[in-house]
C-alpha cells in the first residue's frame, strides 16, 4: 500500500525566510504525488502535483517541490515566506487507479512577522 | 465557474441518529470522492463514485454509505452516529477516467458534531 509521511507537524518561520516542508513516500510503483493547502475553515486547494513529467514541479503562490526517487522524497519549498502562507499543508499520494488519495498527517506552517 | 459545493456547512447530531451530507461537483466532472478529516489529522478516504458506480471504498464501517445521482451529485449517509464520527467531511470532484494523475478538487466541507 502507498503511504506518505510528513516530518514535523508544526513548522515556524520568519516572514521572508525559506519554507521547507518535508514529505516522504512509500510506494512499490512510480508514485503520483500532490501537495494541498488548507486555510482555516476551508477545504483543500491544490498547490502542485508530480506526474513523472519533470522532477522539479512549480506550483501556485511561488511554491515548488522536487521529486527525489533515491530519497523517496517530495519536499515542498518556497524561497520567501509571506504571512498569507500560514496554513496547513498536506502531502498525498494517489493509488494506481486514481480512485483515492492517501494523505499525510499534515504540517501547520506558522509565519512570524 | 462554480467549484464543488457541499451542504449543509455545519450539522449537530446526537449519538444514534442518522445524517445525510450532500455534494455537487464541478460542472463536467463525473467523479466524486468523500473524505473524513478528524481534527488535527489528514483526510481519510471513504468512497469514490464514477458514473454512478462505486470505484473505491476506504476502511470505514458499513454504517457509511453513499450514492451518486444521474446529474453526478452525491450523498454520503452515516447511520447510528458515534461520537467518533465528529469530523469535517470533504467532498472532491474530478473529471473521471484520467487515472492516478487526475486532480481532485475539494469543496469547503461539512462540519459534523455528534453529541
Amino acid at each position: 500500500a502507498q503511504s506518505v509521511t510528513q516530518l514535523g507537524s508544526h513548522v515556524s518561520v520568519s516572514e521572508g525566510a525559506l519554507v521547507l516542508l518535508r514529505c516522504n513516500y512509500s510506494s512499490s510503483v512510480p508514485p503520483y504525488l500532490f501537495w494541498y493547502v488548507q486555510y482555516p475553515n476551508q477545504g483543500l486547494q491544490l498547490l502542485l502535483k508530480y506526474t513523472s513529467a519533470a522532477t522539479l514541479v512549480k506550483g501556485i503562490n511561488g511554491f515548488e517541490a522536487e521529486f527525489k526517487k533515491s530519497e523517496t522524497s517530495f519536499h515542498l519549498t518556497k524561497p520567501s515566506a509571506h504571512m498569507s502562507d500560514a496554513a496547513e499543508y498536506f502531502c498525498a499520494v494517489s493509488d494506481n487507479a486514481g480512485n483515492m488519495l492517501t494523505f499525510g498527517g499534515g504540517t501547520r506552517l506558522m509565519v512570524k512577522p | 465557474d462554480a467549484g464543488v459545493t457541499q451542504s449543509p456547512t455545519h450539522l449537530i447530531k446526537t449519538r444514534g441518529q442518522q445524517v445525510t451530507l450532500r455534494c455537487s461537483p464541478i460542472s463536467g466532472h463525473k467523479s466524486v470522492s468523500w473524505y473524513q478529516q478528524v481534527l488535527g489529522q489528514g483526510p481519510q478516504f471513504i468512497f469514490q463514485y464514477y458514473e454512478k458506480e462505486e470505484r473505491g471504498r476506504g476502511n470505514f464501517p458499513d454504517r457509511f454509505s453513499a450514492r451518486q445521482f444521474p446529474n453526478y451529485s452525491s450523498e454520503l449517509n452515516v447511520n447510528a452516529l458515534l461520537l467518533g464520527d465528529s469530523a469535517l467531511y470533504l467532498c472532491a470532484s474530478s473529471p473521471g477516467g484520467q487515472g492516478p494523475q487526475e486532480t481532485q478538487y475539494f469543496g469547503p466541507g461539512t462540519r459534523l458534531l455528534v453529541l
Side-chain angles (χ1 to χ4, degrees), chain A residues 59-75:
Chain A
I60 62 171
N61 302 338
F63 285 94
E64 63 182 37
E66 186 172 8
F67 175 76
K68 293 186 177 180
K69 185 178 178 180
S70 60
E71 299 178 6
T72 62
S73 69
F74 190 56
H75 301 333

Side-chain angles (χ1 to χ4, degrees), chain B residues 37-102:
Chain B
Q37 185 179 19
V38 173
L39 193 63
Q41 298 181 17
Q44 288 207 327
F45 173 75
I46 310 175
F47 286 110
Q48 187 185 77
Y49 277 78
Y50 175 59
E51 291 278 19
K52 294 170 287 182
E53 291 192 3
E54 183 182 302
R55 285 295 181 92
R57 184 185 183 111
N59 188 24
F60 280 81
D62 291 343
R63 299 184 296 107
F64 288 77
S65 62
R67 55 180 176 168
Q68 187 177 34
F69 299 98
N71 66 353
Y72 303 110
S73 67
S74 178
E75 287 183 351
L76 175 69
N77 189 73
V78 187
N79 291 324
L81 285 168
L82 303 174
L83 295 179
D85 294 332
S86 296
L88 180 68
Y89 288 84
L90 295 164
C91 173
S93 80
S94 56
Q98 296 180 3
Q101 65 182 329
E102 186 169 272

Side-chain angles (χ1 to χ4, degrees), chain A residues 32 34 36 38 41-46 49-51 88 90 94-106, chain B residues 33 35 37 40-45 47-48 55-57 88 90 99-109 111:
Chain A
Y32 291 89
F34 303 77
Y36 282 88
Q38 186 176 36
N41 300 315
Q42 294 187 26
L44 279 70
Q45 180 183 5
L46 179 72
K49 65 180 181 181
Y50 170 73
T51 60
E88 187 99 24
F90 293 96
S94 177
D95 70 331
N96 293 343
N99 293 340
M100 61 179 280
L101 292 172
T102 300
F103 286 85
Chain B
S33 301
Y35 292 82
Q37 185 179 19
Q41 298 181 17
Q44 288 207 327
F45 173 75
F47 286 110
Q48 187 185 77
R55 285 295 181 92
R57 184 185 183 111
L88 180 68
L90 295 164
Q101 65 182 329
E102 186 169 272
T103 297
Q104 295 190 19
Y105 298 86
F106 285 80
R111 189 164 296 281

Side-chain angles (χ1 to χ4, degrees), chain A residues 2-3 7 10 16 24 35 52-53 77 90 96:
Chain A
Q2 291 146 314
S3 65
L7 296 177
H10 292 79
N24 288 87
W35 274 101
S52 76
T77 60
F90 293 96
N96 293 343

Side-chain angles (χ1 to χ4, degrees), chain A residues 12-16 83 110-113:
Chain A
S12 180
V13 300
S14 298
E15 194 173 18
M83 296 296 292
M110 295 167 283
V111 182
K112 300 175 291 185

